[in-house]
Amino acid sequence: MVERIQPGDVIHPGKPSTVGRYGPLARLNHWVTAASLILLALSGLALFTPSLYWLTGLFGGGQNTRALHPWIGVLLFVSFFIFFFQLWRANLPQRVDWVWLSKIKDVVGGHEERLPELGKYNAGQKFIFWSMAGLILVLIVSGVLIWEQYFADYVDIPVRRIAVITHSIAAVLAICVFILHVYAGIWTRGTLRAMTRGDVTAGWAWRHHRKWLRDIAAQKRVDPAE
Ligand code: HEM
């Protein structure tokens, strides 16, 4: 079955051949998401514990941090979900993901020749995608429930208590997933340029996402300008 590929996925022949992976808008979208999550983590940790209160200095003091944090949350929610709707199909779980997961030792050991051929994303990337989607949903819902400036009159105190703890747990998990994501992006050499320049080498695509490369080639998506 030919895998669904996205509009910007195209082979650029030449030396070395490169393969387009993210267009400029998707990259802008991704980096707005990344910047907002980092700012949220810093401002959220500042509000979470007195020992990190000094972080409020980055946002112009305690009051400004408290006022800004929820709005940055709205920005993260909007930018992540614009990104989400561009990528969700390519992140749908497939049977091959279970095979890949069952060979996780070979993934970590660098024996990619023992792994099945993959589409645009592996199971690890899909895990990041879906867990971020779930956690950001939980964060925005629980965040609105504890946004006293606008919603204090509509939410009962017991509900707010549950929302505070839910919000904190989801935030800690999102920070863990974020660390995993950045680590994986750096650990797999040649991946970062997918989100900076927008393309990867054909060698990278052959090594890590061979089915994706084969499907692009099968559909003759070769840049005519080169
Ligand atoms: C400094 C922070 C970050 C770095 C260096 C980074 C790096 C990258 C790179 C290199 C890719 C391309 C991977 C590939 O196509 O194989 C990527 C994809 C992606 N990133 Fe990030 N990222 C960062 C922050 C974030 C944040 C905060 C989120 C979400 C809240 C996020 C969500 C995603 C998603 C959903 C993808 C597409 C992968 C998929 O759909 O499975 N990234 N990132």
Side-chain angles (χ1 to χ4, degrees):
M1 192 185 85
V2 173
E3 177 127 343
R4 178 183 283 269
I5 54 177
Q6 293 173 296
D9 304 349
V10 56
I11 295 172
H12 304 288
K15 287 182 187 152
S17 295
T18 56
V19 189
R21 200 159 160 87
Y22 298 103
L25 283 178
R27 279 178 279 150
L28 177 69
N29 208 177
H30 174 267
W31 292 119
V32 170
T33 304
S36 46
L37 191 121
I38 292 167
L39 292 174
L40 280 165
L42 292 170
S43 54
L45 288 169
L47 300 171
F48 182 62
T49 162
S51 60
L52 292 174
Y53 184 77
W54 55 272
L55 283 171
T56 57
L58 294 171
F59 302 89
Q63 287 187 342
N64 283 339
T65 308
R66 196 177 185 210
L68 280 171
H69 179 86
W71 285 111
I72 308 173
V74 172
L75 177 65
L76 172 76
F77 174 70
V78 172
S79 74
F80 180 84
F81 277 94
I82 295 174
F83 197 44
F84 176 94
F85 287 110
Q86 298 170 55
L87 303 182
W88 72 274
R89 281 178 196 280
N91 279 285
L92 287 175
Q94 289 173 327
R95 197 174 304 167
V96 71
D97 295 325
W98 298 106
V99 180
W100 186 88
L101 275 176
S102 70
K103 294 173 184 275
I104 198 75
K105 270 192 186 160
D106 292 324
V107 175
V108 179
H111 294 292
E112 295 197 49
E113 71 286 357
R114 296 185 197 155
L115 302 173
E117 295 193 3
L118 294 180
K120 187 161 184 174
Y121 298 113
N122 64 38
Q125 291 167 304
K126 291 179 183 179
F127 167 79
I128 306 276
F129 180 82
W130 291 106
S131 51
M132 274 299 188
L135 289 167
I136 290 171
L137 267 182
V138 171
L139 284 166
I140 192 80
V141 172
S142 56
V144 165
L145 292 174
I146 55 177
W147 197 351
E148 288 185 27
Q149 182 166 8
Y150 300 113
F151 303 102
D153 295 343
Y154 308 103
V155 185
D156 293 337
I157 289 176
V159 174
R160 225 182 289 158
R161 285 189 183 136
I162 295 168
V164 170
I165 187 81
T166 309
H167 197 73
S168 311
I169 294 170
V172 170
L173 292 176
I175 292 171
C176 295
V177 174
F178 168 74
I179 293 170
L180 202 68
H181 174 59
V182 175
Y183 182 77
I186 296 170
W187 182 64
T188 313
R189 259 176 73 190
T191 305
L192 278 181
R193 60 179 280 171
M195 263 312 163
T196 50
R197 298 196 218 172
D199 60 21
V200 287
T201 62
W204 181 96
W206 177 256
R207 184 167 176 188
H208 302 295
H209 299 279
R210 196 167 300 173
K211 186 168 188 312
W212 176 64
L213 182 63
R214 283 192 202 282
D215 289 343
I216 300 172
Q219 294 189 25
K220 299 206 172 11
R221 295 182 60 119
V222 180
D223 198 337
E226 292 161 68

